[in-house]
């Protein structure tokens, strides 16, 4: 853009905030956005801050300065860093108590980021304290600066690099005493300003979080004492209460990280234990915010002691820190379930630790706590007595009950599912039990029902005392009583009880399989529920699916009833996903039929979907009852795909597959669907998914439809670049590439796909904007390497595909990048015969250096850390061929990387570079190589 003037920027800001014309606002917004990206914005933002024209222009200028330092610091030469620092210090020095907080924050962020980036600025914290600490009017601004500097140390935007970050942290640790003294002085002289005191505590927290303080040195800190005073005082404001909680939680995390035990540890533990009364007062005063703060604090206290709480307990005596669980359980018992929810992750961590140790006496110490947890969750799960209907979908209570389900499944092994099942059953048998209590008990039972059978079966395998064995057997007898009670529910019971009872039957599917005498009455009950409305039919469908999946052998005798259900499926009030699930269950049973029965059953099951789909593809959307979704082809395609996927006939490639006739006969409808909906990407994905499962179902016996299918998808892809067609191509390669006479035709298909694919990917930001296409294309190429390596590698197609892969190395899309890396790994693994070895070596000589260059650049500057494991696989494969080549390529690639960052600090030393190359070459596994790449990337991040 042309060099703008300060006046032009002022006009743009005025238009953005004041012009009533939305079109002009939008135009001004885009112009200002482009201005902020330009090199000229540095100087003009500085001018606007000096002019102080109005609030909006100062805010915009401060935001611009902060944005430029964070994202475009490389634009400034090192010689300009000092003048920028002086300018920002000058702007900061003019802040008064009347300066708007947004301007203070943006300017402080800009200066804090500059302090971290600018390597020539030694001791920035000491400089700021020396310059501003004596000015009482600068107290707020200085505390803001001191808060932001440690907070920004780990900012992803700044890309400080590990060396610079380590250097900064050493400086901050050295200055931490000065900061602590300044904050203490501010606290003592801060009058009664709650805002200032809150900022002081937030600043202290930010320094604790980066581990800047030596914990023994702050064990007697007045700031910590003040936090306990605030938490003990029922009249403390919510903001101060939360800030004090943050301080103590940060200290606990810091101690856990450093495994620091001693004076401060004991003071915090005992001090927090003494806050139980303060928590009780917050409950009595119905101060939910404070109760949530206490719940968070107590939970963190347990979490930071969790390792020694478990490891330090012996067979007879639990560790003393276990008493903190009482505080947490007190919070779980709070009247508001949001307070209980805060503790859930802690229970998960505890259960994981106990499960890994598999120590029964140790686990027994925690059984009473888990029993209390489940009892509290049972109460929280109760609906309101006057609630009509089911739990509202999408509501916060529905979400909470889902989390309760997950946490119960995590911890139930500590108390045993059978024992929990029995306890809930006793509640159901209580005199005058309310409907909401019954429903909540059933809900808890639903979440442990799946574990009942495994526990019963395990009883016979374990060497346990006779009394305990008899007790467990007695408890297991509760299950038939529960099933009987469910099957005999009165007609007038609350709908929520009936709904949860239906779900329990589904969860008891394995138990029903072991007790087949219960199957018929259960099916009768569920069939009746299928004909209900208001969610009961959907629950019944879900339970039927589970029973079909678990009771395959026994359900064969009920196939006629299942087919009748399929015929009447659209008359039931069932959600779409549940209907598809029910078809899955029926399909599983059909797949176990003898071949002479399987074919007609599958044909009939498919016909309900195919006939409707046929009418749609012929433009006849009448006759579908006009119901919601019936005239959407995806509605029928998803059902058909579920059938194809789950009718699994054994030995599909040995002898005629009974599914083949059905699938081949239905091909014309799917072919017409491909042609009719080729402009609709979402429907095309559903069609391809359906064809994929059809091909997988019958394998090479789909040969009659292979040629017409390939021709059709080539034609469609040339005009409509649906990446799902590339995915379908990979399925065809997987199934048919090893068949005589098919390989060349499939290579021709790949050739036809390449040109339109590359046209899209070579556009500006083509790779970034089309990750699905990258994913599916390289999945297709990988299938060729796996199924027809010699023919593929000898074809002229391999070179342009490799070149495209080199460009795609930097794509930071998880699935797409995995497919690219797997392509290269598969390529390099082809050493099964001499011809393949020669081809791979030739490829490595031609493209190896560029591949390592791009992979290393991507690892450092483009990819997320968790994606580097896939990159490491490629390094390992290259090493398998030639460690010397790998060493040479890595050294050359590393030498091209910058040795200094934009702030002038050393990013990577010569010693670190040499060590990196050696570590890559010497790493024996992909896991070790991943760690090497992650460590090296941190030097630049």
């Amino acid at each position: 853009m042309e060099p703008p003037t300060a006046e032009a920027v002022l006009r743009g800001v005025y238009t953005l905030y004041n012009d009533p014309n939305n079109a002009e606002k939008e135009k001004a917004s885009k112009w200002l956005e482009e201005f902020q990206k330009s090199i000229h914005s540095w100087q003009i933002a500085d001018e606007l801050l000096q002019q102080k024209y109005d609030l909006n222009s100062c805010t915009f200028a401060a935001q611009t300065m902060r944005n430029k330092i964070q994202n475009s610091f490389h634009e400034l030469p090192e010689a300009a860093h000092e003048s920028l620092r002086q300018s920002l210090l000058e702007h900061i020095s003019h802040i008064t108590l009347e300066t708007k907080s947004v301007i203070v924050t943006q300017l402080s962020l800009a200066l804090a980021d500059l302090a971290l980036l600018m390597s020539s600025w030694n001791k920035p914290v000491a400089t700021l304290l020396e310059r501003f600490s004596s000015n009482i009017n600068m107290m707020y601004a200085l505390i803001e600066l001191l808060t932001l500097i440690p907070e920004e140390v780990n900012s992803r935007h700044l890309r400080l690099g590990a060396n610079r970050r380590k250097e900064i942290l050493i400086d901050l640790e050295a200055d931490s005493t000065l900061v602590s003294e300044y904050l203490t002085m501010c606290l003592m002289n801060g009058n009664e300003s709650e805002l200032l005191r809150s900022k002081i505590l937030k600043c202290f927290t930010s320094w604790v979080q980066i581990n800047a303080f030596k914990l023994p040195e702050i064990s007697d800190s007045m700031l910590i004492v003040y936090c306990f005073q605030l938490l003990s005082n029922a009249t403390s404001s919510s903001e101060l209460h939360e800030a004090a909680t943050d301080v103590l939680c940060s200290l606990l995390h810091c101690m856990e990280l450093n495994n620091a035990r001693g004076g401060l540890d004991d003071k915090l533990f005992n001090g927090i234990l003494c806050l139980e009364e303060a928590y009780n007062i917050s409950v009595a005063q119905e101060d939910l915010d404070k109760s949530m703060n206490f719940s968070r604090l107590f939970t963190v206290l347990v979490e930071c002691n969790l390792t020694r709480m478990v490891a330090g307990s012996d067979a007879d005596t639990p560790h003393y820190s276990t008493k903190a669980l009482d505080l947490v359980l007190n919070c779980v018992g709070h009247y508001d379930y949001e307070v209980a929810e805060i503790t859930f992750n802690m229970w998960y961590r505890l259960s994981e630790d106990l499960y890994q140790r598999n120590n029964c006496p140790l686990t027994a110490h925690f059984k009473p706590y888990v029993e209390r947890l489940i009892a509290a969750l049972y109460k929280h799960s109760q609906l309101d007595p006057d609630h009509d209907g089911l739990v509202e979908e999408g509501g916060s209570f529905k979400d909470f009950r889902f989390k309760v389900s997950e946490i119960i499944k995590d911890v139930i092994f500590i108390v045993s599912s059978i024992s929990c099942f029995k306890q809930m059953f006793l509640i159901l048998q209580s005199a005058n039990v309310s409907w909401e209590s019954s429903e909540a008990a059933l809900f808890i039972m639903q979440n442990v029902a799946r574990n009942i059978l495994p526990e019963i079966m395990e009883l016979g395998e374990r060497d346990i005392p006779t009394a305990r064995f008899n007790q467990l057997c007695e408890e297991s007898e509760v299950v038939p009583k529960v099933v009987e009670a469910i099957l005999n529910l009165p007609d007038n019971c609350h709908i929520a009880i009936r709904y949860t009872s239906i779900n329990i039957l589904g969860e008891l599917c394995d138990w029903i399989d072991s007790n087949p005498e219960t199957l018929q009455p259960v099916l009768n009950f569920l069939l009746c529920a299928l004909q209900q409305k208001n969610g009961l039919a959907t629950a019944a469908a879900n339970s039927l699916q589970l029973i079909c999946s678990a009771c395959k052998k026994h359900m064969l005798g009920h196939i006629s009833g299942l087919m009748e259900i399929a015929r009447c499926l659209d008359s039931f009030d069932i959600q779409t996903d549940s209907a598809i699930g029910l078809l899955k269950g029926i399909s599983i049973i059909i797949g176990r039929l003898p071949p002479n029965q399987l074919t007609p059953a599958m044909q009939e099951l498919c016909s309900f979907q195919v006939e409707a789909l046929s009418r749609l593809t012929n433009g006849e959307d009448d006759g579908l009852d006009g119901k919601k979704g019936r005239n959407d082809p995806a509605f029928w395609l998803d059902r058909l795909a579920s059938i194809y996927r789950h009718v699994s006939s054994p030995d599909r490639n040995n002898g005629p597959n009974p599914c083949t006739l059905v699938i081949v006969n239905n091909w014309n409808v799917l072919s017409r669907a491909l042609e009719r909906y080729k402009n609709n990407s979402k429907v095309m994905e559903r069609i391809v998914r359906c064809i994929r499962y059809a091909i997988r179902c019958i394998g090479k016996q789909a040969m009659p439809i292979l040629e017409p299918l390939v021709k059709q998808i080539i034609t469609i892809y040339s005009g409509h670049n649906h990446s799902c067609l590339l995915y379908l191509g990979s399925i065809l390669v997987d199934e048919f590439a090893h068949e005589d006479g098919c390989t060349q035709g499939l290579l021709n298909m790949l050739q036809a796909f390449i040109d339109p694919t590359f046209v899209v990917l070579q556009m500006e930001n083509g790779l970034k904007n089309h990750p699905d296409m990258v994913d599916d294309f390289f999945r297709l190429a990988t299938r060729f390497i796996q199924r027809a390596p010699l023919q593929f590698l000898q074809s002229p197609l391999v070179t342009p595909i490799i070149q495209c892969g080199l460009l795609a190395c930097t794509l930071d899309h998880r699935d797409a990048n995995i497919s690219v890396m797997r392509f290269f790994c598969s390529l390099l693994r082809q050493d099964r015969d001499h011809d393949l070895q020669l081809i791979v070596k030739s490829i490595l000589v031609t493209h190896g250096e560029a591949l390592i260059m791009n992979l290393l650049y991507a690892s450092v500057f483009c990819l997320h850390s968790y994606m580097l494991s896939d990159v490491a696989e490629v390094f390992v494969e290259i090493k398998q061929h030639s460690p010397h080549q790998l060493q040479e390529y890595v050294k050359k690639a590393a030498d091209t990387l910058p040795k200094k960052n934009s702030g002038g600090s050393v990013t990577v030393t010569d010693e670190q570079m040499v060590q990196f190359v050696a570590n890559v070459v010497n790493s024996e596994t992909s896991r070790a190589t991943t760690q090497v790449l992650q460590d090296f990337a941190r030097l630049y991040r």
Side-chain angles (χ1 to χ4, degrees):
M1 65 188 298
E2 289 292 322
T5 62
E7 291 72 21
V9 175
L10 282 172
R11 286 195 299 270
V13 172
Y14 181 85
T15 301
L16 179 64
Y17 287 101
N18 300 292
D19 198 312
N21 188 325
N22 286 332
E24 290 299 316
K25 280 178 176 284
E26 182 67 21
K27 184 178 177 182
S29 177
K30 289 182 178 178
W31 187 88
L32 289 171
E33 188 176 333
E34 287 301 313
F35 159 75
Q36 285 187 317
K37 294 177 182 177
S38 74
I39 191 78
H40 312 291
S41 55
W42 290 100
Q43 182 178 350
I44 292 178
D46 190 30
E47 289 179 28
L48 294 179
L49 286 170
Q50 292 175 15
Q51 291 177 14
K52 297 185 180 64
Y53 184 79
D54 61 12
L55 173 61
N56 289 334
S57 65
C58 287
T59 302
F60 175 78
Q63 289 171 338
T64 300
M65 193 67 79
R66 184 264 306 162
N67 182 59
K68 296 298 287 184
I69 291 174
Q70 277 191 348
N71 302 308
S72 306
F73 193 60
H74 60 274
E75 291 178 353
L76 285 182
E78 277 194 62
H81 292 175
E82 181 59 31
S83 61
L84 175 61
R85 179 179 78 140
Q86 293 303 329
S87 178
L88 282 174
L89 286 170
E90 186 65 20
H91 292 312
I92 290 282
S93 67
H94 291 136
I95 288 176
T96 66
L97 294 176
E98 288 72 38
T99 305
K100 295 296 181 182
S101 61
V102 63
I103 298 176
V104 175
T105 299
Q106 294 299 319
L107 281 176
S108 298
L109 262 173
L111 189 57
D113 288 343
L114 179 64
L116 299 177
L117 286 165
M118 186 175 164
S119 59
S120 59
W121 186 356
N122 295 318
K123 295 284 186 180
V125 170
T127 302
L128 294 171
L129 285 168
E130 182 180 352
R131 178 161 180 170
F132 298 124
S133 61
S134 59
N135 185 347
I136 195 168
N137 293 324
M138 285 296 298
M139 190 179 293
Y140 283 89
L142 182 52
I143 291 175
E144 183 80 2
L145 276 167
L146 295 176
T147 302
L148 291 172
I149 287 175
E151 284 183 353
E152 289 290 285
V153 166
N154 294 305
S155 169
R156 290 183 301 170
H157 299 287
L158 298 183
R159 299 187 73 94
L160 293 171
N163 288 331
R164 174 60 179 163
R165 192 172 289 111
K166 181 179 180 181
E167 182 182 296
I168 291 166
L169 289 173
I170 291 172
D171 281 349
L172 295 183
E173 184 178 340
D175 292 334
S176 61
T177 303
L178 292 175
V179 172
S180 179
E181 290 172 353
Y182 178 70
L183 293 177
T184 302
M185 183 272 291
C186 291
L187 185 66
M188 296 172 64
N189 300 332
N191 300 319
E192 296 303 316
S193 170
E194 286 193 357
L195 176 61
L196 178 62
R197 290 171 180 264
S198 175
K199 285 184 175 294
I200 290 169
L201 294 182
K202 288 177 182 177
C203 182
F204 186 67
T205 299
S206 71
W207 283 72
V208 171
Q209 287 173 339
I210 63 164
N211 205 19
F213 295 117
K214 292 182 175 65
L215 295 181
E217 293 181 3
I218 59 170
S219 59
D220 296 321
S221 170
M222 179 181 173
L223 293 162
I224 298 175
V225 173
Y226 180 58
C227 288
F228 277 108
Q229 291 173 355
L230 288 172
L231 293 175
S232 302
N233 189 347
T235 63
S236 298
S237 70
S238 294
E239 188 172 3
L240 281 172
H241 197 276
E242 182 177 6
T245 304
D246 289 341
V247 169
L248 297 186
C249 286
S250 297
L251 284 167
L252 290 170
H253 284 307
C254 191
M255 285 194 302
E256 181 185 14
L257 182 67
N258 293 287
N259 195 25
R261 305 301 176 187
L264 181 57
D265 175 35
D266 293 338
K267 286 184 180 180
L268 287 179
F269 188 85
N270 295 323
I272 293 172
L273 286 183
C274 293
L275 293 175
E276 183 175 11
E277 182 59 30
Y279 165 76
N280 293 333
I281 292 173
S282 76
V283 177
Q285 294 179 344
E286 298 186 1
D287 193 329
L288 183 60
D289 288 338
K290 288 183 179 178
S291 294
M292 292 178 77
N293 288 336
F294 282 120
S295 182
R296 180 161 59 94
L297 179 59
F298 297 158
T299 300
V300 172
L301 178 65
V302 172
E303 287 180 330
C304 90
N305 285 284
L306 204 54
T307 300
R308 61 175 178 164
M309 182 185 295
V310 176
S313 298
D314 55 36
D316 300 319
T317 311
H319 191 268
Y320 78 89
S321 63
T322 308
K323 66 182 75 171
L325 286 171
D326 290 314
L327 294 177
V328 173
L329 282 166
N330 201 4
C331 295
V332 175
H334 191 277
Y335 60 82
D336 193 299
Y337 63 78
E338 289 185 52
V339 178
E341 195 175 321
I342 292 170
T343 72
F344 282 5
N345 187 63
M346 182 277 295
W347 294 109
Y348 167 74
R349 286 184 57 186
L350 174 63
S351 68
E352 279 290 289
D353 198 341
L354 292 174
Y355 186 80
Q356 293 296 329
R357 293 175 188 273
N358 192 24
N359 183 323
C360 291
L362 176 63
T363 301
H365 286 314
F366 297 91
K367 182 177 178 179
Y369 297 104
V370 174
E371 288 175 337
R372 288 168 59 191
L373 169 68
I374 293 175
L377 295 178
Y378 150 72
K379 292 181 179 179
H380 279 303
S381 299
Q382 294 181 19
L383 292 159
D384 291 332
D386 57 352
H387 182 86
D388 293 326
L390 305 177
V391 180
E392 182 183 354
E393 290 291 336
S396 59
F397 188 60
K398 180 78 171 183
D399 181 60
F400 171 73
R401 294 238 300 194
F402 173 78
K403 292 175 181 176
V404 168
S405 297
E406 294 300 306
I407 202 66
I408 286 177
K409 291 170 184 176
D410 286 333
V411 304
I412 195 61
F413 75 92
I414 298 173
V415 298
S416 94
S417 298
I418 298 173
S419 175
C420 175
F421 208 79
K422 181 182 179 183
Q423 292 303 313
M424 293 298 116
F425 183 64
L426 292 176
I427 293 175
L428 294 177
Q429 293 184 309
S430 303
N432 301 318
V433 63
S434 63
W435 76 263
E436 66 273 12
S437 297
S438 298
E439 192 279 334
L442 288 167
F443 170 72
I444 300 297
M445 295 165 82
Q446 172 191 331
N447 291 299
V448 302
R450 192 70 70 92
N451 299 327
I452 295 294
L453 181 65
E455 285 191 8
I456 292 174
M457 294 177 66
E458 191 182 349
L459 293 178
E461 301 175 5
R462 288 196 327 214
D463 183 17
I464 58 175
T466 303
R468 177 58 180 151
F469 179 84
N470 292 335
Q471 178 191 354
L472 290 173
C473 289
E474 179 187 345
E475 290 174 348
S476 69
E477 289 300 313
V478 170
V479 183
K481 296 177 182 178
V482 172
V483 172
E484 182 182 1
I486 289 174
L487 298 180
N488 292 288
L489 283 173
D491 293 338
N492 63 347
C493 76
H494 195 284
I495 186 175
I497 290 180
R498 189 171 295 275
Y499 177 84
T500 306
S501 298
I502 292 170
N503 288 331
I504 288 179
L505 293 179
E507 294 297 322
L508 284 171
C509 56
D510 293 323
W511 182 88
I512 292 171
D513 186 44
S514 292
N515 296 268
E517 69 278 4
T518 64
L519 182 58
Q520 185 63 59
V522 166
L523 291 177
N524 292 339
F525 180 85
L526 294 178
L527 181 59
C528 180
L530 268 178
Q531 301 168 60
Q532 306 298 311
K533 296 187 181 297
N534 302 321
L536 294 183
T538 292
N542 294 337
S543 290
L544 267 174
Q545 179 207 321
L546 292 172
I547 290 172
C548 285
S549 300
C551 308
K552 304 180 190 71
K553 176 181 174 183
H554 303 299
M555 286 298 291
L556 276 174
H558 300 276
I559 188 64
S560 58
L562 292 175
M563 293 302 294
E564 185 60 33
I565 288 173
R567 292 186 194 98
C568 303
L569 189 59
D570 290 323
S571 67
F572 302 136
D573 184 23
I574 301 176
Q575 291 179 359
T576 300
D577 288 346
S578 298
I580 292 170
L582 185 51
L583 285 173
K584 168 188 172 181
I586 297 172
S587 300
I588 288 171
I589 304 306
I590 287 177
R592 295 182 64 86
L593 290 171
N596 63 322
Q597 296 179 35
L598 189 154
T599 302
M602 182 179 179
Q603 180 66 62
E604 183 180 2
L605 190 61
C606 291
S607 67
F608 308 136
Q609 334 308 326
V610 172
E611 288 170 8
L613 194 59
S614 180
R615 291 199 294 272
L616 288 173
T617 56
N618 288 329
E620 307 168 14
D621 57 357
D622 58 328
L624 300 178
D625 303 327
K627 290 185 179 180
K628 183 180 179 182
R630 297 296 195 269
N631 57 1
D632 181 355
F635 181 87
W636 306 103
L637 287 164
D638 288 347
R639 290 182 171 197
L640 188 59
S642 182
I643 298 169
Y644 285 165
R645 182 179 186 182
H646 296 104
V647 177
S648 177
S649 177
D651 301 324
R652 65 174 191 168
N653 289 319
N654 298 324
N657 189 315
C659 302
T660 301
L661 181 64
V662 180
I663 289 174
V664 172
N665 285 344
N666 293 340
W667 161 245
N668 287 335
V669 175
L670 291 176
S671 178
R672 288 203 306 273
L674 280 171
E675 185 61 33
R676 179 173 178 82
Y677 299 107
K678 62 186 177 184
N679 295 321
N680 188 322
S681 60
K682 290 186 177 180
V683 175
M684 285 295 291
E685 287 177 4
R686 300 310 231 294
I687 299 171
V688 164
R689 184 168 171 266
C690 194
I691 296 173
R692 164 198 171 193
Y693 289 130
I695 299 293
R696 291 300 197 193
C697 181
I698 60 176
K700 66 181 180 180
Q701 296 184 30
M703 191 73 75
I705 66 174
L706 176 61
E707 186 175 348
L709 173 58
V710 169
K711 288 180 178 178
Q712 190 170 11
I713 63 177
I714 286 174
T715 302
I716 293 174
Y717 190 76
S718 64
H720 307 80
N721 307 130
H722 301 301
S723 72
C724 60
L725 296 177
L726 298 173
Y727 181 80
L728 180 56
S730 71
I731 300 298
L732 298 178
V733 172
D734 195 37
E735 292 288 347
F736 297 103
H738 58 281
E739 296 293 323
D740 293 338
C742 290
T743 305
Q744 188 55 50
L746 292 170
L747 281 170
N748 293 340
M749 175 190 71
L750 177 61
Q751 172 70 69
F753 282 154
I754 282 181
D755 287 342
T757 299
F758 285 5
V759 166
V760 174
L761 297 183
Q762 287 171 357
M763 294 177 181
E764 185 178 358
N765 293 322
L767 292 166
K768 183 178 181 180
N769 294 336
H770 301 278
D772 290 341
M773 182 175 286
V774 176
D775 181 15
D776 292 328
F777 180 78
F778 281 97
R779 190 190 301 265
L780 170 59
T782 301
R783 290 293 192 194
F784 267 107
I785 296 174
Q786 293 168 343
R787 293 290 180 260
L790 190 59
Q791 296 92 324
F792 174 71
L793 293 177
Q794 287 177 335
S795 76
L797 306 180
V798 68
T799 298
I801 293 175
I802 289 174
Q803 290 171 341
C804 181
L806 292 174
L807 296 175
C809 286
T810 58
L811 186 60
D812 66 344
H813 184 279
R814 174 66 168 163
D815 293 337
N817 196 270
I818 286 177
S819 289
V820 174
M821 296 304 120
R822 285 179 180 169
F823 165 74
F824 283 118
C825 284
S826 298
L827 186 69
L828 294 164
R829 285 175 187 150
Q830 298 308 311
D831 54 2
R832 288 173 295 191
D833 60 47
H834 182 67
D835 290 340
L836 285 173
Q837 286 182 3
L838 292 177
I839 295 172
V840 172
K841 284 184 178 180
S842 174
I843 289 173
L844 200 53
V845 169
T846 306
H847 302 287
E849 184 176 333
L851 176 59
I852 290 294
M853 190 85 69
N854 289 13
L855 288 177
L856 188 56
Y857 180 87
S859 300
V860 169
F861 296 111
C862 305
L863 304 181
H864 299 287
S865 182
Y866 64 82
M867 298 170 68
L868 298 186
S869 57
D870 302 293
V871 176
E873 294 278 0
V874 184
F875 277 81
V876 171
E877 292 301 329
I878 295 177
K879 180 183 175 181
Q880 296 298 322
H881 285 274
S882 174
H884 297 297
Q885 269 188 309
L886 177 65
Q887 182 174 14
E888 178 188 345
Y889 294 157
V890 172
K891 187 176 186 308
K892 285 184 179 179
D895 286 340
T896 65
L897 298 174
K899 303 300 186 294
K900 286 189 175 183
N901 64 19
S902 54
S905 60
V906 174
T907 305
V908 54
T909 64
D910 292 337
E911 292 78 10
Q912 288 172 323
M913 194 70 82
V914 170
Q915 188 63 54
F916 165 67
V917 175
N919 288 343
V920 169
V921 176
N922 294 330
S923 294
E924 297 296 333
T925 63
S926 61
R927 185 173 182 177
T929 306
T930 301
Q931 188 62 57
V932 172
L933 289 173
Q934 289 175 340
D935 291 342
F936 187 70
R938 288 191 193 100
L939 296 174
Y940 290 85
R941 296 180 178 180

